[in-house]
């Protein structure tokens, strides 16, 4: 394989190649530290042409490729297997913003651009790129599109799939498909773009994308409310659509257990309310209409205040704070966005990234918590998430003091109980994180034969040698 690595070096040069064990390590393990793989090399091409040449070489030598962006994925899809016969193909050197078309509300970028950089470029042009998630400082747009990422503004703007117009993709044969079309309408045969979105790198490598932009909001309101139950949370959201004149852009539900972990592990985190409550809702409204200042000052904040006041009278809200400044809004958001980090610092946990219809969230919460406790009475449920999309992170923290080895034998029973319940509720066992490596068996178990056969046929047709992220999403 020295010969293979030398040929790769011939394509990407020394700057594009990592073979040293210590330098490779961060690319061989996932954010959650569930997997530690091995790779012939970490290859970091600088252009689409280099990606295509590397893929052609891999196809000729039957070397499997694991595409990787910011390596923040939750499902192990970007981590190589342990056999050492794969390469990691990192897109992080392809980080140019190629065009911002403010008139046409689109932006063309390379796959390795960090999400936050894209948000900032949009904002600098008085536009919004609405994809937003806690990993936005390190995840890349290629990873976002390949996982069809969700995040905290899906209820208003949609998943990553809805935020993209065109793609450039390198196929498993090393061909370049230029689908970088900035078209809102294009009914010319099968939609190849949609195939690659959410494919988790198993069908090809996304090298560039044309993204959709929106007008930049000029007014925001953020509130943090203690609510008596998930029922009240769902009702609060339901009324907020009309009260805000359809300006609800985020609605996140959290249980006290998650807040306690954030307060324990994240320096500077502060509980904004004087008393403890069981459930919290973080709501963001935003509008392109600027607030009025001076006499008759007003905008979303006043509307939200009035709405929360009414909700309090109805008993839907027990206590609430409304951010008066951008800094206050950010510190409320930090309580929500630090849930994953706090859970990680607390110790082992299982993530159940599930969705059910929004109206079924309250009943699911009751049944799901009972099922989790029945499977392991000492476990610590940490449910939170994007309630406006029906997407809960129905996570389960190991009993206090347990390590991974002690917790591992219980995972199948706990997750099985939760996923069976999700399916009984007509929900999804992976709402936004994808399947990766961690849910390959679950996908095979919970999806119908016709769905699995169609997925396998697609994979075999597009990647006949099975070199593109093999063993992820679906076994062929
Ligand atoms: P990676 O982790 O590098 O890769 C993810 C998958 O995409 C892998 O299968 C990989 O092979 C493939 N891939 C990567 N780049 C390419 C490419 N260019 N072409 C083809 N395949 C590629 N996710 C959400 O959806 N919503 C959330 O709210 C959310 N919150 C998070 C919070 C935290 C703190 C963290 C750590 C993660 C969170 N995630 C969330 C998960 C993760 O950030 C997203 O899935 C993100 O989209 C992954 O991007 P990435 O660049 O890190 O991809
Ligand atoms: C989030 O929304 O913060 C993550 O997707 C949730 C998780 O880490 O489980
Ligand atoms: Zn999430």
């Amino acid at each position: 394989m020295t010969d293979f690595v030398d040929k790769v070096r011939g394509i990407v040069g020394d700057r594009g190649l990592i073979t040293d064990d210590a330098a490779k390590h961060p690319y061989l393990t996932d954010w959650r530290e569930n997997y530690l793989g091995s790779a012939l090399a970490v290859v970091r091409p600088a252009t689409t042409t280099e990606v295509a040449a590397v893929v052609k070489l891999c196809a000729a030598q039957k070397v499997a490729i694991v595409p990787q962006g910011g390596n923040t994925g939750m499902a192990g899809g970007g981590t190589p297997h342990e056999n050492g016969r794969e390469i990691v193909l990192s897109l992080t050197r392809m980080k140019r913003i190629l065009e911002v078309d403010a008139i046409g509300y689109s932006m063309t970028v390379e796959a390795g651009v960090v999400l936050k950089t894209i948000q900032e470029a949009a904002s600098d042009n008085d536009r919004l790129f609405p994809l937003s998630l806690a990993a936005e400082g390190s995840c890349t747009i290629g990873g976002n599109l390949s996982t069809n990422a969700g995040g905290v503004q899906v209820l208003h703007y949609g998943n990553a799939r809805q935020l993209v117009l065109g793609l450039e993709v390198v196929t498993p044969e090393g061909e370049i498909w230029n689908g970088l079309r900035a078209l809102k309408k294009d009914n010319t045969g099968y939609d190849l773009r949609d195939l690659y979105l959410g494919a988790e790198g198993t069908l090809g490598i996304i090298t560039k994308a044309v993204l959709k932009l929106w007008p930049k909001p000029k007014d925001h309101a953020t509130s943090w409310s203690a609510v008596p139950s998930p029922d009240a949370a769902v009702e609060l959201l339901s009324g907020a659509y009309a009260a805000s004149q359809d300006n609800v852009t985020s609605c996140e539900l959290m249980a006290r257990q998650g807040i306690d972990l954030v307060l324990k592990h994240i320096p500077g985190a502060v509980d904004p309310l004087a008393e403890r409550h069981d459930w919290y809702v973080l709501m963001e409204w935003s509008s392109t209409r600027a607030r009025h200042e001076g006499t008759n000052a007003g905008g979303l904040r006043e509307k939200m205040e009035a709405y929360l006041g009414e909700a309090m009278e109805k008993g839907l809200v027990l206590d609430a704070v409304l951010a008066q400044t951008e800094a206050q809004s950010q510190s409320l958001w930090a309580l929500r966005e630090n849930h994953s980090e706090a859970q990680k610092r607390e110790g082992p946990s299982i993530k159940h990234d599930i969705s059910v219809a929004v109206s079924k969230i309250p009943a699911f919460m009751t049944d799901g918590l009972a099922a989790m406790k029945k499977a392991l009475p000492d476990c610590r449920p940490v449910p939170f998430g994007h309630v406006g999309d029906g997407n809960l992170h129905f996570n389960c923290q190991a009993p206090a003091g347990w390590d991974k080895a002690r917790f591992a034998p219980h995972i199948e029973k706990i997750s099985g109980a939760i996923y069976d319940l999700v399916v009984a509720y007509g929900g999804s066992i992976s709402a936004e994180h994808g399947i990766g490596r961690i849910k390959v068996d679950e996908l095979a178990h919970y999806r119908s034969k016709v769905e699995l056969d169609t997925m396998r046929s697609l994979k075999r047709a597009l990647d006949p040698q099975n070199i593109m992220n093999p063993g992820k999403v679906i076994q062929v």
Side-chain angles (χ1 to χ4, degrees):
M1 278 295 162
T2 335
D3 178 41
F4 168 79
V5 173
D6 284 344
K7 284 183 179 152
V8 175
R9 193 190 314 274
I11 299 167
V12 296
D14 281 330
R15 275 192 68 201
L17 191 65
I18 303 175
T19 50
D20 171 73
D21 281 344
K24 275 197 290 185
H25 184 266
Y27 299 86
L28 304 180
T29 186
D30 59 316
W31 187 84
R32 297 179 61 194
E33 295 168 8
N34 279 335
Y35 302 106
L36 177 59
S38 170
L40 288 168
V42 175
V43 183
R44 301 177 67 227
T47 63
T48 302
T49 317
E50 287 185 8
V51 174
V54 171
V55 175
K56 270 203 171 107
L57 175 68
C58 289
Q61 305 222 354
K62 295 190 176 31
V63 171
I65 302 162
V66 182
Q68 196 181 89
N71 200 14
T72 66
M74 293 288 193
T79 310
H81 289 96
E82 294 75 17
N83 58 36
R85 293 198 299 271
E86 302 172 328
I87 61 160
V88 171
L89 193 138
S90 165
L91 280 298
T92 45
R93 280 178 74 211
M94 293 181 58
K95 53 180 183 193
R96 284 177 307 158
I97 292 182
L98 300 170
E99 189 193 2
V100 181
D101 177 357
I103 301 284
Y105 283 78
S106 71
M107 186 192 299
T108 307
V109 298
E110 290 185 324
V113 184
V114 167
L115 175 56
K116 198 168 177 42
T117 309
I118 291 174
Q119 295 167 346
E120 286 167 356
S123 177
D124 291 347
N125 286 275
D126 199 28
R127 299 288 179 264
L128 172 78
F129 183 63
L131 185 64
S132 174
L133 45 110
E136 64 199 21
S138 36
C139 62
T140 63
I141 192 68
N144 301 146
L145 299 179
S146 299
T147 56
N148 185 26
V152 296
Q153 302 205 95
V154 171
L155 87 172
H156 197 75
Y157 298 99
N159 294 304
R161 188 183 291 282
Q162 275 95 46
L163 313 180
V164 58
L165 292 168
L167 291 182
E168 178 189 82
V169 172
V170 171
T171 71
E173 278 92 28
E175 299 298 327
I176 300 170
W177 171 55
N178 184 343
L180 284 176
R181 303 172 188 126
L183 302 177
K184 299 241 167 165
K185 290 187 155 182
D186 181 16
N187 282 349
T188 48
Y190 302 137
D191 194 331
L192 300 184
R193 177 195 60 186
D194 261 5
L195 266 184
Y196 296 109
L197 298 169
E200 301 181 57
T202 60
L203 301 179
I205 300 171
I206 296 176
T207 43
K208 294 190 185 92
V210 185
L211 307 173
K212 281 190 210 168
L213 302 178
W214 274 257
K216 182 174 165 176
K218 299 288 187 298
D219 190 12
H220 295 266
T222 315
S223 60
W224 180 268
S225 304
V227 296
S229 62
D231 243 316
V234 167
E235 213 180 316
L236 184 68
L237 168 65
S238 180
Y241 288 119
S244 67
Q245 294 170 321
D246 202 16
N247 284 313
V248 181
T249 40
S250 300
C251 185
E252 300 287 313
L253 174 68
M254 288 148 283
R256 182 69 208 186
Q257 293 90 317
I259 304 301
D260 281 338
L261 293 183
V262 173
L263 295 175
K264 176 175 172 189
H265 292 290
I266 307 296
V270 181
D271 187 342
L273 299 177
E275 285 177 28
R276 288 173 66 88
H277 297 275
D278 290 341
W279 299 100
Y280 299 91
V281 169
L282 174 59
M283 196 143 47
E284 178 93 10
W285 297 0
S286 47
S287 164
T288 49
R289 193 172 164 176
R291 57 179 287 110
H292 313 283
E293 297 299 351
T295 46
N296 288 331
L300 286 180
R301 219 157 53 216
E302 289 73 10
K303 278 198 189 115
M304 189 184 256
E305 196 168 1
Y307 178 61
L308 293 178
E310 285 165 27
M312 251 182 208
E313 279 167 24
K314 289 187 199 155
L316 292 180
V317 168
L318 303 171
D319 195 2
V321 289
L322 226 119
Q324 299 301 323
T325 61
E326 178 58 27
Q328 282 173 10
S329 167
Q330 278 173 12
S331 66
L332 296 179
W333 268 106
L335 286 171
R336 160 63 185 90
E337 302 231 294
N338 277 313
H339 269 59
S340 305
E341 184 62 40
Q343 275 210 276
K344 186 172 163 179
R345 292 186 193 181
E346 177 69 8
S349 70
I350 320 170
K351 290 190 185 296
H352 301 114
D353 164 38
I354 63 96
S355 65
V356 297
V358 174
S359 53
K360 291 185 179 171
I361 289 232
F364 176 83
M365 190 70 83
T366 307
D367 292 348
L369 290 175
M372 206 183 267
K373 280 292 193 183
K374 189 173 168 208
L376 181 64
D378 288 340
C379 76
R380 295 177 292 164
V382 185
F384 64 96
H386 320 290
V387 65
D389 319 325
N391 175 193
L392 290 178
H393 297 301
F394 205 68
N395 295 348
C396 177
Q397 197 80 38
W402 284 30
D403 61 12
K404 274 191 175 175
R406 192 164 172 205
F407 192 39
H410 300 273
I411 292 177
E412 202 177 316
K413 187 174 175 197
I414 299 170
S415 296
I418 298 307
Y419 294 144
D420 285 352
L421 190 67
V422 167
V423 170
Y425 270 79
S428 168
I429 61 154
S430 180
E432 60 171 10
H433 293 165
I435 299 298
R437 185 166 168 188
I438 203 162
K439 286 187 187 166
V440 171
D441 292 344
E442 281 82 355
L443 185 86
H445 180 74
Y446 289 105
R447 280 304 186 100
S448 67
K449 181 172 178 323
V450 64
E451 286 169 315
L452 294 167
D453 286 349
T454 309
M455 287 190 216
R456 251 182 230 115
S457 303
L458 277 171
K459 170 73 176 165
R460 286 189 188 125
L462 296 182
D463 181 18
Q465 295 201 92
N466 194 21
I467 60 163
M468 204 50 82
N469 217 359
K472 312 290 170 53
V473 182
I474 189 150
Q475 297 283 6
V476 287

